[in-house]
Amino acid sequence: MLEPKGIVTIDGPSGAGKSTISRGLAAKLHFTYLDTGAMYRAVGLALERQGIDLADTDSLAKCLAAIELTLTPNGDDDVRVLLNGEDVSQAIRTPEMGLVASRVSANPLVREKLTALQRQLGAKGAIVAEGRDMGTVVFPKAFRKFFLNASAEERARRRQKQLAEKGQTVDYQEILDQISKRDYDDSRRALAPLKPAADAIIVDSSSMGPETVIACMLASIAKSAR
Ligand code: DC
């Protein structure tokens, strides 16, 4: 149905269900799932560990040049992220690292590095790319673009449940505040802000389960591939 070089993009705010849906859609299409948020998180972790001041462009450029990221599938459930060979998959999945990732993602050098890497990973096609700027900046010619949204309250509830399943107890209000702050920062930054591409299909997942969302997306892909 989809040409092999096909790229499907799924952008949207944090906690809208992008990861579950992108993974599920990729599995149905036999495509590779590209989690670009994980890449920003891993770079955020590296910069934080080395205490890099984002205003110090020389140190930042040096540190970025030395970062090697590898993403590999980790069962059905997750993506394994290697930062210079070290498995940081768990370390990057905390709410704090989400905020760090959001902060470093506004930096032009960081975006330049990761945009190039993402395009390289997508060059062979057959990927479902998930992030904030997949349809607007990284893959503007993607075959099909979706923008997945849900109310901030629903997203906070889902995130809290997700973290609880991983044994992390976090207060609902704290998660809601972090989500709202990230939405605000991600959509107001000058570079590649979070917004739907002009040709994206907007999907509100507030009252739809992941299976229903994936089925809607598959139907939309099948329709436009005919
Ligand atoms: O999807 P996530 O929560 O793992 O993303 C973490 C942060 O990374 C997010 O707040 C903004 C940034 N990000 C980005 O700027 N561009 C992307 N394509 C993906 C993530």
Side-chain angles (χ1 to χ4, degrees), residues 71-226:
L71 277 77
T72 52
N74 188 12
D76 285 345
D77 220 38
D78 218 343
V79 170
R80 178 174 292 127
V81 184
L82 300 183
L83 171 64
N84 294 334
E86 177 196 344
D87 189 340
V88 293
S89 316
Q90 299 286 328
I92 61 172
R93 292 295 171 201
T94 63
E96 293 71 30
M97 280 315 301
L99 289 172
V100 171
S102 175
R103 187 170 55 81
V104 304
S105 72
N107 182 278
L109 293 178
V110 173
R111 292 212 81 82
E112 194 184 324
K113 174 173 176 100
L114 291 186
T115 297
L117 182 55
Q118 289 153 11
R119 288 188 177 140
Q120 197 183 319
L121 294 173
K124 287 201 197 111
I127 60 160
V128 174
E130 176 217 319
R132 304 291 187 288
D133 61 338
M134 294 299 102
T136 48
V137 174
V138 182
F139 301 115
K141 294 190 177 151
F143 172 82
R144 174 52 89 211
K145 300 175 184 176
F146 296 101
F147 190 86
L148 191 64
N149 214 341
S151 70
E153 291 74 17
E154 177 58 23
R155 289 186 279 133
R157 267 192 293 276
R158 289 180 192 169
R159 185 66 91 197
Q160 190 184 33
K161 190 163 166 266
Q162 222 175 36
L163 290 169
E165 282 163 8
K166 290 183 180 170
Q168 298 175 35
T169 311
V170 188
D171 178 60
Y172 168 79
Q173 191 57 45
E174 194 183 318
I175 298 181
L176 182 60
D177 291 348
Q178 281 172 344
I179 279 183
S180 306
K181 172 165 173 35
R182 267 217 279 162
D183 284 357
Y184 184 91
D185 292 344
D186 291 348
S187 38
R188 274 162 188 78
R189 68 182 178 217
L191 271 175
L194 166 68
K195 65 170 184 190
D199 51 350
I201 295 178
I202 298 181
V203 180
D204 190 320
S205 74
S206 300
S207 55
M208 269 196 279
E211 294 304 328
T212 313
V213 175
I214 292 169
C216 289
M217 289 179 169
L218 282 171
S220 147
I221 289 168
K223 207 163 104 192
S224 49
R226 274 202 293 268

